[in-house]
Amino acid sequence: MSEIHFREMASKSWLNFLTFLCGSAIGFLLCSQLFSILLGEKGDTQPNVLHNDPHARHSDDNGQNHLEGQMNFNADSSQHKDENTDIAENLYHKVRILCWVMTGPQNLEKKAKHVKATWAQRCNKVLFMSSEENKDFPAVGLKTKEGRDQLYWKTIKAFQYVHEHYLEDADWFLKADDDTYVILDNLRWLLSKYDPEEPIYFGRRFKPYVKQGYMSGGAGYVLSKEALKRFVDAFKTDKCTHSSSIEDLALGRCMEIMNVEAGDSRDTIGKETFHPFVPEHHLIKGYLPRTFWYWNYNYYPPVEGPGCCSDLAVSFHYVDSTTMYELEYLVYHLRPYGYLYRYQPTLPEHILKEISQANKNEDTKVKLGNP
Amino acid sequence: MVSASGTSFFKGMLLGSISWVLITMFGQIHIRHRGQTQDHEHHHLRPPNRNDFLNTSKVILLELSKSIRVFCIIFGESEDESYWAALKETWTKHCDKAELYDTKNDNLVNIESNDRWVQMRTTYKYVFEKYGDNYNWFFLALPTTFAVIENLKYLLFTRDASQPFYLGHTVIFGDLEYVTVEGGIVLSRESMKRLNRLLDNSETCADQSVIWKLSEDKQLAICLKYAGVHAENAEDYEGRDVFNTKPIAQLIEEALSNNPQQVVEGCCSDMAITFNGLTPHKMEVMMYGLYRLRAFGHYFNDTLVFLPPVGSEND
């Protein structure tokens, strides 16, 4: 009995030993596999967004508190010790811009939050316009419904709200989407040549449907104070219609009716400043197919490749959250040290005079060296 | 009976895993003192003090800008031809001279080997013999890397190239600190000289792999160590890495999850030198974002001056 038991034990322990060896081999291999997987690089996948319809809208939108522009020109102090922002600061006070961002309850945390964390800080005032109010964000409630067909109605109500509460607080009034990235410093440079008491508006100019052209909604557009007054007035006097499902086109039509000029927003060497897509889509030749609507819509001859875009670009559209921060980094942080940029634009004479007058009284030295 | 063999299986797995870990850790490197924590010095290198140059004349500063001559070596194999075309058309135009070594279709250096370390050291030898006298800094990068040469020159301009410098993004591997090739490798002329002396005369820089194949950047570090050249991690004034091994988008995504209040400040340095993992399209976009796109009204009082390259459209 004990002998049989002993044999059983022997075979059992032999089996145990074998499973032990198996286990150690598998453990060994598993570890090396895990290690090499962990060290493997992640692939770079970027979904490409190409919309076939310039009026393909974001199916969001459904909020009164404005955000004062938090312009801290010296926030990132140590890296920017060599940075002279006198001219940018001067323009901030001289060319006051109120920004309102078209958003909705679903997109406050997803999209509008990143706008707020980046470029919105540089507006003199910024408002986030939603269908319902949100006191925490904060977002203004326009008391409209949600949906694509509500967009023009929201635009009208937003401009009316701005006109009622903030008309005297700014000279220019910008509308942008929650996936638009705007470079306010460059917008101020563009607008510094114009008088806000003139009826004019700027954006990425499209040519169909409206004789003087109209401005792309997603790329953002900016109205002078006079243009805003006329737009709001148009609805009081029934000169423009309230109903339309195509926001930018309807606004463009109304501007034409009210004799507000569609301005040329290109820079001094003819390069576009407002962009309906992200930089990559404009810079890479052949990215946008020849059959794409864009080539027939652009008011001025469209250009792809490096000539597409001004050094002093004002806006890009269809910008996702990562790209918001990437643009913020490229525009305001990363720079090639000591590089002498090819394009050296200046301010209009009258502004330069004012600045030098102001500086005669102070000790600051304004160096018009690099850009 | 099943449970008994089950536990022994798991005991075996555990032992196997542990022994793999031990072998990998100790198999590749020398152990100096068993059981003692290693007192390793992590070397850092930062840009020069701005105030040192406040009183230097413009003429001297211009001469200084021209005196830093960087030779760029793009080394590796790429997925397709468009990478090489993109490199020629984008950032390498800002090097004083650039050579592209496609290790798959090599018709330049004629390296007859598929071993990456053999390819790398043959390349370094070739470059030093041909260009060693005319350049004082040698920068090696992968075909997926984008480099800002102006920022590299700013980092280096007070450094003496006749001293042994070996810079980049460093990683500590046991008691070896090495510069990862993904971030780009910078060698001063003196380091190149010493490296080439070793490659000429001895077998010390032969393959050091014991169990697993050592990557070429580690091999380079071991080789340079014999010549008394030690790796240094390059950083900005805040201690942020300037050589990055990842693309900007990835660094931002990481900052979004680790540091959502300070995404841009936490992500990357203002004087970043490299990013890795870029496609040809992304390199073209970088040219615009870096050399052209900017905010009006922000001016900088820089010590050095760099002119745009002749006959170029995208910068």
Side-chain angles (χ1 to χ4, degrees):
Chain A
M1 175 71 176
S2 65
E3 212 190 81
I4 298 167
H5 187 71
F6 178 70
R7 275 218 200 98
E8 250 182 54
M9 287 282 291
S11 62
K12 257 194 231 164
S13 58
W14 184 238
L15 195 64
N16 279 352
F17 184 66
L18 277 180
T19 43
F20 184 83
L21 279 181
C22 267
S24 53
I26 289 174
F28 199 88
L29 288 171
L30 219 73
C31 262
S32 65
Q33 280 309 301
L34 220 82
F35 195 69
S36 53
I37 287 171
L38 285 175
L39 285 187
E41 292 265 5
K42 239 171 43 181
D44 185 33
T45 48
Q46 289 276 348
N48 299 315
V49 174
L50 269 191
H51 291 250
N52 268 318
D53 176 1
H55 306 292
R57 276 297 157 222
H58 328 281
S59 50
D60 41 276
D61 290 301
N62 300 300
Q64 101 158 251
N65 305 301
H66 64 267
L67 289 173
E68 191 76 42
Q70 293 161 45
M71 233 5 282
N72 185 350
F73 284 87
N74 293 306
D76 193 2
S77 50
S78 44
Q79 295 235 48
H80 295 244
K81 262 198 204 112
D82 287 330
E83 188 172 357
N84 183 326
T85 52
D86 288 351
I87 295 209
E89 277 185 61
N90 196 290
L91 279 181
Y92 179 82
H93 292 110
K94 197 165 260 29
V95 185
R96 299 174 303 161
I97 303 178
L98 180 147
C99 311
W100 71 264
V101 180
M102 174 90 86
T103 184
Q106 269 85 335
N107 283 332
L108 290 181
E109 286 303 304
K110 262 192 345 201
K111 296 184 178 187
K113 178 170 82 166
H114 305 296
V115 167
K116 191 164 145 222
T118 56
W119 63 265
Q121 306 277 324
R122 300 189 180 89
C123 305
N124 296 75
K125 268 193 178 46
V126 62
L127 292 152
F128 289 90
M129 300 292 192
S130 173
S131 51
E132 14 177 296
E133 183 186 25
N134 182 310
K135 289 212 164 81
D136 297 317
F137 190 81
V140 173
L142 297 172
K143 298 193 193 82
T144 60
K145 288 186 277 216
E146 301 268 308
R148 242 173 103 137
D149 55 332
Q150 295 293 303
L151 284 170
Y152 189 44
W153 185 227
K154 283 181 75 173
T155 304
I156 296 167
K157 299 218 77 185
F159 274 123
Q160 282 174 340
Y161 180 92
V162 166
H163 181 272
E164 195 181 322
H165 295 98
Y166 298 106
L167 186 65
E168 295 313 320
D169 295 347
D171 307 304
W172 300 87
F173 302 85
L174 170 81
K175 175 258 173 185
D177 286 349
D178 52 18
D179 59 352
T180 308
Y181 184 84
V182 182
I183 304 168
L184 267 299
D185 298 81
N186 295 344
L187 182 57
R188 289 194 180 93
W189 173 76
L190 175 75
L191 297 175
S192 64
K193 312 180 195 60
Y194 299 92
D195 179 2
E197 305 297 329
E198 290 298 309
I200 192 168
Y201 79 125
F202 295 95
R204 169 61 79 113
R205 204 164 168 189
F206 284 160
K207 69 180 175 221
Y209 313 121
V210 182
K211 189 150 163 281
Q212 69 163 0
Y214 69 98
M215 306 305 176
S216 152
Y221 48 76
V222 57
L223 274 60
S224 68
K225 185 183 298 218
E226 179 58 29
L228 172 62
K229 283 183 189 161
R230 292 194 188 189
F231 183 68
V232 170
D233 196 60
F235 296 99
K236 287 202 189 107
T237 55
D238 262 338
K239 292 208 179 76
C240 291
T241 169
H242 293 75
S243 66
S244 166
S245 59
I246 309 173
E247 165 238 334
D248 45 12
L249 178 55
L251 187 128
R253 280 206 173 105
C254 189
M255 292 284 111
E256 189 166 72
I257 290 169
M258 301 305 290
N259 288 318
V260 173
E261 184 189 343
D264 180 357
S265 58
R266 294 176 301 170
D267 69 15
T268 56
I269 52 176
K271 294 200 167 87
E272 296 271 14
T273 54
F274 289 77
H275 302 282
F277 303 108
V278 291
E280 190 169 352
H281 290 39
H282 291 283
L283 287 165
I284 306 298
K285 289 194 176 128
Y287 197 108
L288 301 171
R290 279 282 134 191
T291 51
F292 200 49
W293 59 263
Y294 171 76
W295 302 108
N296 295 320
Y297 266 60
N298 215 53
Y299 189 91
Y300 305 105
V303 180
E304 54 179 1
C308 70
C309 316
S310 173
D311 286 25
L312 301 186
V314 170
S315 71
F316 295 100
H317 184 220
Y318 294 122
V319 176
D320 63 29
S321 53
T322 310
T323 311
M324 283 276 173
Y325 295 103
E326 199 170 341
L327 284 168
E328 181 80 6
Y329 174 66
L330 290 173
V331 175
Y332 290 99
H333 295 268
L334 181 68
R335 68 184 187 94
Y337 187 85
Y339 189 68
L340 219 70
Y341 298 98
R342 289 184 203 272
Y343 182 54
Q344 297 281 347
T346 51
L347 278 167
E349 270 303 313
H350 69 276
I351 301 225
L352 281 173
K353 277 201 189 104
E354 285 179 55
I355 292 176
S356 61
Q357 292 289 0
N359 287 339
K360 266 186 194 129
N361 308 330
E362 294 172 34
D363 235 329
T364 45
K365 189 176 64 173
V366 176
K367 187 161 179 209
L368 293 169
N370 308 333
Chain B
M1 168 147 168
V2 173
S3 64
S5 52
T7 34
S8 60
F9 181 80
F10 284 113
K11 279 188 207 156
M13 258 191 75
L14 203 66
L15 184 68
S17 321
I18 292 173
S19 51
W20 179 87
V21 170
L22 287 175
I23 289 175
T24 320
M25 263 175 35
F26 295 115
Q28 303 281 4
I29 45 172
H30 309 292
I31 307 163
R32 274 189 300 194
H33 306 282
R34 263 192 190 280
Q36 253 183 314
T37 49
Q38 278 146 359
D39 197 354
H40 180 88
E41 255 184 70
H42 190 53
H43 302 96
H44 304 265
L45 186 127
R46 299 219 171 163
N49 189 334
R50 278 176 274 244
N51 296 321
D52 289 345
F53 295 91
L54 283 178
N55 294 321
T56 317
S57 82
K58 273 259 173 294
V59 175
I60 295 183
L61 290 176
L62 207 70
E63 283 309 303
L64 210 61
S65 309
K66 288 195 204 145
S67 70
I68 319 148
R69 290 173 56 76
V70 173
F71 184 95
C72 300
I73 313 157
I74 318 305
F75 170 82
E77 49 184 74
S78 70
E79 294 168 28
D80 61 72
E81 269 309 300
S82 64
Y83 278 80
W84 300 104
L87 288 161
K88 281 198 197 105
E89 277 309 301
T90 60
W91 66 267
T92 60
K93 287 188 285 193
H94 293 247
C95 303
D96 293 280
K97 176 114 177 89
E99 289 276 21
L100 281 60
Y101 298 105
D102 182 351
T103 50
K104 245 201 322 222
N105 307 309
D106 175 36
N107 45 12
L108 209 68
V109 185
N110 288 318
I111 308 163
E112 281 153 18
S113 170
N114 278 329
D115 182 305
R116 293 281 289 193
W117 174 226
V118 172
Q119 290 172 335
M120 182 181 267
R121 61 182 203 243
T122 316
T123 302
Y124 270 124
K125 223 170 130 36
Y126 174 87
V127 166
F128 184 70
E129 274 160 19
K130 195 163 175 197
Y131 300 106
D133 288 333
N134 292 327
Y135 301 91
N136 39 22
W137 297 95
F138 298 85
F139 171 62
L140 183 139
L142 297 176
T144 51
T145 298
F146 187 102
V148 187
I149 299 300
E150 288 79 11
N151 291 348
L152 177 59
K153 289 188 175 184
Y154 179 55
L155 181 75
L156 298 175
F157 90 98
T158 53
R159 310 290 167 178
D160 183 359
S162 63
Q163 293 295 311
F165 285 101
Y166 166 40
L167 320 163
H169 171 86
T170 60
V171 169
I172 296 176
F173 184 71
D175 77 335
L176 178 76
E177 185 170 6
Y178 71 99
V179 173
T180 61
V181 67
E182 288 86 10
I185 306 174
V186 179
L187 292 175
S188 63
R189 188 197 277 141
E190 177 62 22
S191 303
M192 289 288 277
K193 222 192 249 177
R194 295 189 191 186
L195 175 66
N196 280 274
R197 216 180 293 143
L198 275 180
L199 293 174
D200 269 335
N201 300 333
S202 60
E203 275 300 296
T204 19
C205 290
D207 202 322
Q208 298 288 321
S209 310
V210 178
I211 294 175
W212 312 111
K213 190 109 190 79
L214 275 178
S215 56
E216 65 277 17
D217 43 9
K218 294 191 192 74
Q219 305 257 28
L220 178 67
I222 294 170
C223 182
L224 285 169
K225 221 171 162 186
Y226 279 111
V229 179
H230 299 278
E232 288 179 279
N233 193 54
E235 299 159 5
D236 65 13
Y237 298 103
E238 271 77 41
R240 263 180 293 208
D241 281 348
V242 288
F243 289 87
N244 298 292
T245 57
K246 301 173 189 170
I248 299 176
Q250 193 178 332
L251 291 165
I252 283 174
E253 273 158 29
E254 285 169 13
L256 267 169
S257 48
N258 300 337
N259 203 355
Q261 300 308 316
Q262 289 266 290
V263 177
V264 174
E265 291 78 6
C267 133
C268 324
S269 171
D270 280 22
M271 51 166 293
I273 296 174
T274 57
F275 294 101
N276 186 44
L278 279 85
T279 60
H281 282 183
K282 294 276 189 273
M283 291 203 192
E284 199 61 58
V285 176
M286 267 303 273
M287 290 301 280
Y288 172 72
L290 175 70
Y291 291 110
R292 295 181 49 210
L293 182 67
R294 59 203 186 271
F296 182 82
H298 296 247
Y299 298 87
F300 295 88
N301 199 358
D302 290 341
T303 306
L304 300 173
V305 179
F306 298 111
L307 299 174
V310 181
S312 189
E313 252 195 342
N314 54 5
D315 48 22

